[in-house]
Structures are given as C-alpha cells and as structure tokens.
Amino acid sequence: MLFLLFSCITAQKQASSAARGDLAGAYLIEGQTEACISSAQSATKLDRRNVDAWHTLALCTMKRGANEESEKAFKRALRLTPDDAGLLLNYSYLLQNLDRTDEAIKHLEHAREDLTYPAPAKVLNNLGWAYLQADRDHDAVGALEEAVYRQPNFCGALYNLGLAYREIGNLDAAVGSLDNVRTQCQGQFPEATLLYGVVLVEMGRVEEGAGYLQLVIDEHPNTDEAAEAVTQLAAVGME
C-alpha cells in the first residue's frame, strides 16, 4: 500500500512538472523570459528527468544572455536524450555564439544523423554556416546544397550557399543562388541583393552590379547593407 502511494505521488509530480514545462514553453513563445525561466526551473525541480523542461530552460536562459546557465541546462537535457537533433541544433547555436565553432560542428554532425528530425534542412544550414566559419568551404557547399535540395525555398540556406560558392571561387553558382534568394524571398534578405551586386562586380559586370548596389540603397536606406553598398560603389568609382 505504501508503494502504491509513493507511485501516485510520483505520477502527480510528473504531471505537474509537465504542466509547468508547457507553461514555460508558452512564456518563451510570448517573449516573457523571466516567467519562462521561473516556470522551467519549477518543472525541473519537480521532475529531474523532464527533458523538455531542461531544453526550455536552456532556451530561456540563452535569451536572457545567461550563457553559462544555458549551457548547463543543455547538458542536462542531452544527458537524458543525447541523440535529439533539436537539442543538438539549439545547443550548437549557443556554441557558435560563443565562438566555439569546432564544438558546434561536432554537435551538428551528430544532429545530422537523427533521421527522425522533421526539419533536417535547418541542421544542414547551420552546419554549413559553421563549416564556413571554420574555413571548411567545400564541406559548407556540400551541407548547404543538401539543405537546399531538401527545402528549395529555404532563404537562409540559399543565401549561405551563395556565400559558400563565392568562397570556393564559383561565382556563376554564387550568382545563381543569390538570384534565387532575391526572387523567392521578396526583399527579406537585403544582404542577398548586396552580395549579388558585389559578385557581379567581381565577375566584371560592373554596371549591372552597381545597379543592384544602388537598389539596396534605394530600398533599404539607413541600414548596414545600404552603408556597405555605398562603400562598394565608391570602390568602383560610381558613388
């Protein structure tokens, strides 16, 4: 009888932990960082094996800028589910922000092996970006080409693929990928139009490239991209 009572209490704690974890997730979506942290911490105290609560706590504390606390929470979650691509993806994002690119690559390569993850293009895009940061440009092209193959309208992956093609000197492919960003993403990526113009100039198509640089200035005034476009135009004597 005593055993049954303890089992019932454990089940109640697990249910309460799950409910508080769900609440923390809702707070995270709403941008209520402190409430998210409080609810997630409460959830993990009730059930130390609530991996979703640890994951949410990691995300909330990362949003606060508490990187050490975030990493501890990620590690607790990964001890419980070490092969979870979603966890590995988010942890690698923290690592990249901390300039720990080689560690991020290790976790993203692990995440790539999770065939059950519903958004593999996200993993491949982040892996490609990490490879670029590590000067592994050909590896970056491979990962990003696969990301685009899996999700052809993935604007971020198309842009990163343009960067990667440029790094390996394949300017024709870079222009093609960046043109896809411009046409498919409808102004969401002014940096794509900027880089498109820069690469055209590098290919010797100066007037055409200058036209796209001017387009950045006209359509996205008072942005970093516009300022860079002014610099690029000045460099080719077309201020």
Side-chain angles (χ1 to χ4, degrees):
M1 191 66 183
L2 186 61
F3 172 78
L4 292 175
L5 178 60
F6 284 157
S7 296
C8 181
I9 292 171
T10 300
Q12 288 175 348
K13 282 188 175 182
Q14 287 176 334
S16 181
S17 175
R20 295 188 190 191
D22 289 344
L23 182 60
Y27 283 136
L28 177 64
I29 293 170
E30 293 173 1
Q32 299 186 47
T33 304
E34 297 308 315
C36 174
I37 292 171
S38 178
S39 295
Q41 287 175 334
S42 178
T44 59
K45 287 176 182 176
L46 285 164
D47 181 4
R48 290 295 189 183
R49 297 190 63 79
N50 186 340
V51 63
D52 291 334
W54 283 114
H55 191 178
T56 301
L57 180 59
L59 294 173
C60 293
T61 49
M62 180 167 61
K63 189 172 182 180
R64 181 203 264 174
N67 295 327
E68 186 175 342
E69 293 176 39
S70 179
E71 182 164 16
K72 287 179 181 178
F74 273 124
K75 287 182 174 180
R76 287 295 297 263
L78 285 168
R79 281 203 291 270
L80 295 167
T81 53
D83 302 320
D84 186 311
L87 264 172
L88 292 163
L89 177 64
N90 287 328
Y91 182 34
S92 70
Y93 180 79
L94 173 66
L95 292 171
Q96 284 179 271
N97 284 342
L98 296 173
D99 294 324
R100 292 159 58 184
T101 302
D102 288 342
E103 291 177 68
I105 288 172
K106 175 183 175 182
H107 289 291
L108 287 165
E109 288 175 339
H110 188 180
R112 190 179 191 174
E113 298 171 1
D114 183 357
L115 301 180
T116 67
Y117 187 59
K122 289 184 179 180
V123 174
L124 291 161
N125 176 58
N126 285 28
L127 179 58
W129 176 250
Y131 282 145
L132 277 174
Q133 297 304 107
D135 295 323
R136 294 172 57 177
D137 300 328
H138 287 277
D139 288 333
V141 168
L144 291 163
E145 283 181 338
E146 186 178 349
V148 171
Y149 174 78
R150 289 175 175 271
Q151 190 175 331
N153 61 347
F154 190 169
C155 297
L158 284 166
Y159 175 72
N160 287 337
L161 182 57
L163 286 172
Y165 281 140
R166 183 188 182 213
E167 289 300 317
I168 66 170
N170 191 343
L171 299 186
D172 286 330
V175 163
S177 188
L178 293 166
D179 193 39
N180 283 334
V181 182
R182 293 190 319 101
T183 56
Q184 292 184 38
C185 307
Q186 299 182 348
Q188 297 176 43
F189 277 76
E191 59 268 43
T193 304
L194 171 65
L195 187 60
Y196 187 68
V198 169
V199 174
L200 287 173
V201 169
E202 291 173 346
M203 295 173 71
R205 296 159 61 180
V206 178
E207 289 190 10
E208 187 180 358
Y212 284 102
L213 294 172
Q214 186 61 51
L215 187 64
V216 174
I217 297 168
D218 294 340
E219 294 188 347
H220 306 280
N222 304 315
T223 63
D224 290 342
E225 289 78 18
E228 179 60 23
V230 170
T231 300
Q232 292 292 331
L233 282 173
V236 294
M238 301 182 72
E239 300 96 320

